[in-house]
Amino acid sequence: MKAFIISLCALVTIVGTTVGSSIYIGKVTNELDGMVSELAPNDETKFQKAKAYWEKNEHFICIFVSHKDIDNVNIAFKVLEEKFQNDDGGGFYEYSALLEKYIEEIANKERFHIDNII
Amino acid sequence: MITVFVRTLIIYFLLTLSIRLLGKRQVGELELSELVITFILSELVTVPILDPSVPIVHTIVPVVILIASEIIFSFLVTKSPFIKKLLYGNPSYIIKKGKIDQNELGKLRMGLSELLSELRLKDVGDINEVDYAILEENGKLSVFEKNSTLAHALIIDGKVVKSSLDLASKDEKWLNGYLKKHRVSLSDVFLLTICDNNINIIMKEKE
């Protein structure tokens, strides 16, 4: 009976944690997606804000999401950061679009949807 | 590389603990669901060891879900004969009172030569000497020769086993009469067996 109750509690905790993490990751990626879509080569403040938000949540997302997807986002952020540092606006929108795509990829993988289940 | 080392240790202890929780039976006799879990676990745990980009949670969560589900189902199986039948099936009586049940053989998709081979493996040379041959839930064949005894469990954990009543040529009316005569409530009986009209009863221990 004890093992049964502990197992039931473990199952409920796991369900709660996975649902909670999916909702939180969905919220973070949605907000980040919004921030990245507003990025412009002449506005570093918005970029720094988006980067800081990502760094704040990166460790949490890292627990649940493939590290390859995290690396992709980090690489795209790094490229954009270099462009700001070198005052190089060329290809900025391509990289911000790529960053947006990587963030959406994380969101899509975490979304509870029939496409992901099948 | 230290990451792989730590991950391997975590997964090793998780798997050892999981199999320990499943009980000692896991190592030897496997039920159907335990066999399924063993297959899945062995594949599942290797993924984060071989691929460091996979979060370790992707292994921990499924392992915990599988073990917890198995414990929950095992508990439900002991409480409900219906769930037990659904998940594990019932033992199949291939030879009943010395008579081969051809219908049961067909249902099991088991040929007569296969049955004879199984009997030979049990050191039984003549099928006519067999009183009962039962294919158990774990796929093993139990054989009782005519000079041996086989007790039928009529009540298990407060529940009547109807198939055993038929085998013992008894009915529920007789069983209820027996319990009434001995002033015993059905729910208080842990095990009641019958063997050649000798009845053995074990009552449930009070918690």
Side-chain angles (χ1 to χ4, degrees):
Chain A
M1 191 70 180
K2 237 186 260 175
F4 173 76
I5 293 167
I6 292 168
S7 303
L8 211 60
C9 291
L11 217 54
V12 171
T13 310
I14 290 276
V15 170
T17 312
T18 48
V19 170
S21 70
S22 286
I23 292 171
Y24 185 73
I25 290 169
K27 179 185 161 279
V28 169
T29 48
N30 193 31
E31 281 178 20
L32 203 59
D33 204 20
M35 288 177 183
V36 172
S37 64
E38 287 172 9
L39 289 182
N42 54 358
D43 192 350
E44 199 180 345
T45 325
K46 275 184 182 169
F47 171 77
Q48 290 301 343
K49 201 180 151 198
K51 192 168 172 278
Y53 187 70
W54 165 251
E55 281 169 353
K56 196 180 120 195
N57 292 289
E58 188 187 344
H59 286 297
F60 179 79
I61 295 174
C62 196
I63 299 170
F64 301 97
V65 175
S66 168
H67 299 179
K68 280 177 191 163
D69 295 333
I70 305 280
D71 287 345
N72 285 338
V73 175
N74 279 331
I75 290 166
F77 264 119
K78 189 75 192 159
V79 172
L80 289 176
E81 194 175 27
E82 289 291 320
K83 287 195 178 293
F84 276 112
Q85 278 172 5
N86 298 320
D87 218 7
D88 170 21
F92 182 89
Y93 288 107
E94 282 88 339
Y95 275 100
S96 66
L98 202 62
L99 177 59
E100 217 175 316
K101 184 193 162 287
Y102 289 146
I103 292 164
E104 279 167 10
E105 217 169 273
I106 292 174
N108 285 337
K109 280 181 187 172
E110 279 300 305
R111 196 166 293 143
F112 185 70
H113 193 270
I114 190 73
D115 288 352
N116 284 341
I117 294 168
I118 59 172
Chain B
M1 209 55 199
I2 189 74
T3 314
V4 176
F5 174 76
V6 175
R7 277 171 164 241
T8 310
L9 279 183
I10 292 171
I11 286 160
Y12 170 75
F13 285 114
L14 180 73
L15 197 62
T16 310
L17 183 74
S18 303
I19 291 175
R20 175 75 187 83
L21 282 172
L22 281 178
K24 287 188 178 67
R25 219 150 40 101
Q26 182 71 11
V27 184
E29 306 287 313
L30 292 173
E31 291 279 1
L32 178 69
S33 62
E34 291 167 346
L35 186 72
V36 171
I37 284 186
T38 309
F39 282 144
I40 301 174
L41 284 184
S42 60
E43 282 295 316
L44 198 63
V45 297
T46 55
V47 178
I49 294 174
L50 298 174
D51 186 358
S53 70
V54 176
I56 202 159
V57 170
H58 284 200
T59 288
I60 293 171
V61 169
V63 167
V64 174
I65 290 172
L66 286 171
I67 300 299
S69 308
E70 174 60 23
I71 292 169
I72 289 168
F73 278 122
S74 302
F75 178 80
L76 294 177
V77 161
T78 61
K79 295 290 163 197
S80 160
F82 173 74
I83 296 175
K84 182 180 181 289
K85 192 180 173 188
L86 198 73
L87 287 178
Y88 303 121
N90 278 338
S92 301
Y93 285 75
I94 300 169
I95 300 176
K96 217 186 279 181
K97 293 175 187 168
K99 192 170 176 272
I100 301 173
D101 189 337
Q102 296 183 21
N103 200 23
E104 198 63 36
L105 267 181
K107 271 191 215 165
L108 295 166
R109 294 185 297 278
M110 192 180 198
L112 193 58
S113 55
E114 203 180 328
L115 174 64
L116 292 171
S117 159
E118 288 286 341
L119 291 175
R120 282 196 298 275
L121 286 168
K122 294 271 177 188
D123 297 324
V124 178
D126 186 3
I127 195 166
N128 294 309
E129 289 301 310
V130 178
D131 198 21
Y132 283 95
I134 308 158
L135 191 67
E136 304 291 354
E137 291 125 337
N138 61 6
K140 289 192 174 171
L141 189 73
S142 303
V143 180
F144 296 87
E145 290 184 71
K146 281 183 177 154
N147 53 1
S148 61
T149 53
L150 172 63
H152 300 290
L154 303 186
I155 300 174
I156 296 175
D157 204 8
K159 289 182 180 73
V160 178
V161 185
K162 285 178 184 162
S163 55
S164 293
L165 271 177
D166 296 338
L167 288 164
S169 308
K170 302 287 181 197
D171 55 22
E172 282 198 63
K173 197 177 161 193
W174 171 86
L175 188 63
N176 290 332
Y178 178 86
L179 294 174
K180 204 173 172 184
K181 192 177 155 192
H182 290 82
R183 292 176 188 168
V184 172
S185 162
L186 177 67
S187 57
D188 292 337
V189 179
F190 186 60
L191 179 69
L192 188 145
T193 58
I194 184 167
C195 182
D196 300 331
N197 283 327
N198 292 322
I199 296 165
N200 186 26
I201 186 162
I202 302 169
M203 303 301 289
K204 278 185 191 172
E205 285 174 4
K206 299 270 179 253
E207 280 179 26

